[in-house]
């Protein structure tokens, strides 16, 4: 269940309470669903009870108690707990988690995209500055993924090396300054960029000029110019993209690292244009994201060699200990002890194999996590894996990144997904004499779903997602 679907379930609970005469309020148009705050629990939380308390003339806690049974009976909701002044904390059931993985695998890298074009037209403009152009390029991609028609405009012609190395382009150039704003009319002027309609690209790939399928009607190919000399109609309002400029030219980093260096910081933060983005270490968020994707692809190949494939289901077996936080190992490792037979050991235990005696890894490699993080408590097979919460949040992140013109939100979300999937990778494949089970197939499906989200997000950022790293 995605946050959007859960928001609809919350509104349905309010509507049922109103229909049964328990609340005398107007059903709001939307219900905000977020991750639980301090003191909260479960997978999601909503403040709908606090929102309705004043119109209902009742305390927020009372409104929350009225809504709780209606929401707890919704499909895919396992439990609802009231905390604080009236927050409803929602725990999703196993069926909802399986449905989420199935949806991601079905939609692939387009998970989180709008189902079709909308009536929105957005005109973006930016100065002739490298970070502003890259940010505008990605904002246009994200808006297109949400169904909007987009047109980009730069105050002056772009250097050709920006198009060749960074893969950026704009629809029009001109000498006038742009005023901030958003167009309100549904019309799509000539030369506007249609909503993303690409469906044939492979995960992580993009067209030669950095767009995903939006350039066919614009006559732009790998050898074409980066701009079109068509003036922007003066009556159309523009949204001005003006982030803090880059302190130096990022072209020496290459396309992927340069884009990440300019996009990962928030618009008001100064980007760090250094070679730290090229280092293959855990300290480099770009490396962690790309490494996590490459590992998910390797797991799929290794699973095929072992004769099994992904099948969405409960991640944990019905008995045994939680293994999701153990040290990830190379995907094809065969000699590790079964995860269900392991017992967590103290940090200085002499029988535990030294990490340095295993397969050699780079310094600060992202797979070198402490085994002391293992959770010895029995696992509920229908409790959503922490990664599932991050994956379910992906459509909301895309929508917010589009609404706020903030690609940094997407970049940070990809880091969160990568950090959540890395501990899972160690327990996807059978160990030793183990044979593939339903739990292994479910973990592989979850890992592949994470790979699809990472590939789709990187593609929107214009960054390659390598299958081998």
């Amino acid at each position: 269940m995605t946050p959007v679907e859960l928001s609809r379930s919350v509104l349905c609970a309010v509507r049922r309470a109103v229909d049964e005469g328990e609340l005398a309020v107007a059903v709001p148009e939307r219900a905000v669903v977020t991750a639980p705050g301090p003191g909260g629990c479960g997978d999601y939380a909503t403040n709908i009870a606090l929102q309705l308390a004043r119109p209902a003339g009742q305390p927020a806690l009372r409104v929350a108690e009225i809504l709780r049974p209606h929401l707890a009976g919704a499909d895919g909701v396992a439990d609802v707990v009231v905390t604080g002044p009236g927050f409803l904390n929602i725990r999703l059931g196993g069926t909802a988690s399986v449905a989420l993985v199935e949806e991601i695998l079905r939609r692939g890298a387009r998970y989180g995209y709008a189902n079709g074009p909308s009536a929105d037209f957005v005109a973006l403009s930016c100065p002739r500055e490298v970070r502003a152009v890259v940010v505008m390029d990605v904002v246009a991609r994200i808006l297109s993924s949400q169904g909007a028609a987009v047109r980009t405009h730069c105050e002056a012609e772009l250097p050709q090396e920006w198009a060749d190395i960074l893969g950026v382009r704009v629809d029009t150039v001109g000498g006038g300054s742009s005023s901030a704003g958003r167009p309100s009319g549904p019309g799509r002027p000539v030369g506007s960029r249609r909503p993303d309609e690409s469906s044939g690209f492979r995960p992580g790939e993009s067209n030669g000029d950095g767009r995903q399928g939006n350039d066919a009607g614009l006559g732009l190919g790998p050898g074409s110019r980066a701009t079109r000399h068509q003036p922007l109609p003066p009556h159309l309002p523009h949204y001005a993209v003006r982030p803090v400029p880059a302190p130096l030219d990022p072209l020496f980093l290459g396309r992927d690292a340069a884009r990440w260096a300019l996009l990962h910081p928030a618009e008001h933060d100064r980007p760090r244009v250094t070679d730290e983005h090229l280092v293959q270490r855990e300290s480099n968020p770009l490396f962690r994201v790309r490494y996590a994707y490459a590992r998910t692809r390797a797991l799929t190949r290794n699973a095929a060699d072992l004769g099994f494939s992904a099948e969405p289901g409960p991640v944990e077996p019905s008995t045994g200990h939680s293994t999701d936080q153990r040290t990830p190992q190379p995907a094809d490792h065969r000699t590790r002890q079964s995860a269900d037979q392991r017992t967590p050991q103290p940090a200085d235990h002499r029988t535990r194999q030294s990490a340095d005696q295993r397969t050699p890894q780079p310094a600060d490699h992202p797979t070198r996590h402490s085994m002391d993080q293992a959770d010895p408590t029995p696992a509920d097979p229908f409790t959503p894996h922490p990664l599932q919460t991050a994956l379910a949040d992906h459509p909301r992140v895309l929508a917010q990144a589009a609404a706020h013109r903030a690609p940094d939100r997407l970049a940070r979300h990809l880091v969160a997904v990568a950090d959540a999937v890395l501990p899972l990778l160690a327990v996807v494949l059978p160990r030793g004499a183990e044979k593939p089970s339903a739990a292994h197939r479910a973990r592989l499906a979850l890992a592949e779903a994470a790979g699809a989200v990472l590939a789709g997000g990187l593609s929107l950022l214009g960054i390659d997602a390598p299958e081998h790293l």
Side-chain angles (χ1 to χ4, degrees), residues 172-332:
T172 62
V173 295
S177 60
S178 301
S179 58
R182 291 188 60 185
S184 56
R188 294 178 180 173
V190 175
S192 64
R193 190 169 287 112
R194 296 177 297 166
D196 184 81
E197 298 172 352
S198 62
S199 58
F201 69 92
R202 293 194 298 270
E205 286 192 355
S206 56
N207 291 342
D209 58 359
R211 293 287 181 190
Q212 298 176 9
N214 283 330
D215 303 335
L218 297 175
L220 290 173
S224 60
R225 297 294 295 174
T227 58
R228 294 175 60 190
H229 294 277
Q230 178 180 351
L232 194 66
H235 63 278
L236 289 178
H238 315 147
Y239 180 88
V241 179
R242 295 183 180 274
V244 173
L248 52 90
D249 191 340
L251 298 182
F252 72 96
L253 294 175
R255 172 171 172 160
D256 295 334
R259 275 182 168 266
W260 183 268
L262 301 176
L263 295 169
H264 184 252
E267 182 180 285
H268 55 271
D269 292 333
R270 183 176 296 276
R272 294 172 58 88
V273 184
T274 66
D275 58 4
E276 67 187 37
H277 302 288
L278 300 173
V279 177
Q280 295 194 15
R281 293 178 181 269
E282 185 179 2
S283 58
N284 180 4
L286 174 60
F287 171 68
R288 295 208 305 274
V289 172
R290 287 157 57 98
Y291 174 81
Y293 173 74
R295 284 293 308 274
T296 63
R297 300 303 301 153
L299 288 175
T300 300
R301 295 190 297 269
N302 294 146
D305 293 340
L306 294 176
F308 75 99
S309 60
E311 183 177 334
V315 173
E316 291 293 338
S318 57
T319 59
H321 302 308
S322 172
T323 58
D324 294 332
Q325 297 296 324
R326 300 184 189 278
T327 308
Q329 298 294 334
D332 57 353

Side-chain angles (χ1 to χ4, degrees), residues 15-106:
R15 189 171 294 107
R16 285 194 293 268
V18 171
D19 292 342
E20 296 179 11
E22 298 176 284
L23 290 176
V25 296
V27 179
E29 294 183 357
R30 61 189 296 266
V32 178
V33 176
T34 61
C41 59
D43 302 303
Y44 295 98
T46 178
N47 64 348
I48 190 69
L50 284 76
Q51 180 182 341
L52 298 177
R54 182 184 294 272
Q58 300 187 51
L61 276 174
R62 174 58 184 160
V63 176
E65 290 296 341
I66 292 174
L67 295 177
R68 189 183 69 81
H70 295 288
L71 184 56
D75 292 338
V77 175
D79 191 22
V80 179
V81 177
V82 179
T83 60
F87 291 103
L88 289 165
N89 296 264
I90 305 163
R91 182 170 69 88
L92 301 180
T95 303
S97 301
V98 173
L100 170 68
V101 175
E102 289 175 342
E103 179 188 2
I104 297 175
L105 294 180
R106 176 177 59 84

Side-chain angles (χ1 to χ4, degrees), residues 384-428:
H385 189 277
L387 174 60
Q388 291 170 332
T389 303
L391 298 181
D393 208 30
H394 186 64
R396 182 189 66 84
V397 172
L398 286 182
Q400 287 194 345
H404 297 279
R405 319 291 192 257
D408 59 285
R409 298 192 180 202
L410 174 58
R412 291 195 299 270
H413 176 65
L414 296 182
V415 176
V417 172
D419 290 344
V421 73
L422 283 172
L424 172 70
L425 302 179
V427 293
V428 171

Side-chain angles (χ1 to χ4, degrees), residues 12 65 146 160 200 237 379 396 429 459:
C12 288
E65 290 296 341
Q146 301 305 296
Q160 187 60 32
R396 182 189 66 84
L429 299 178
S459 191

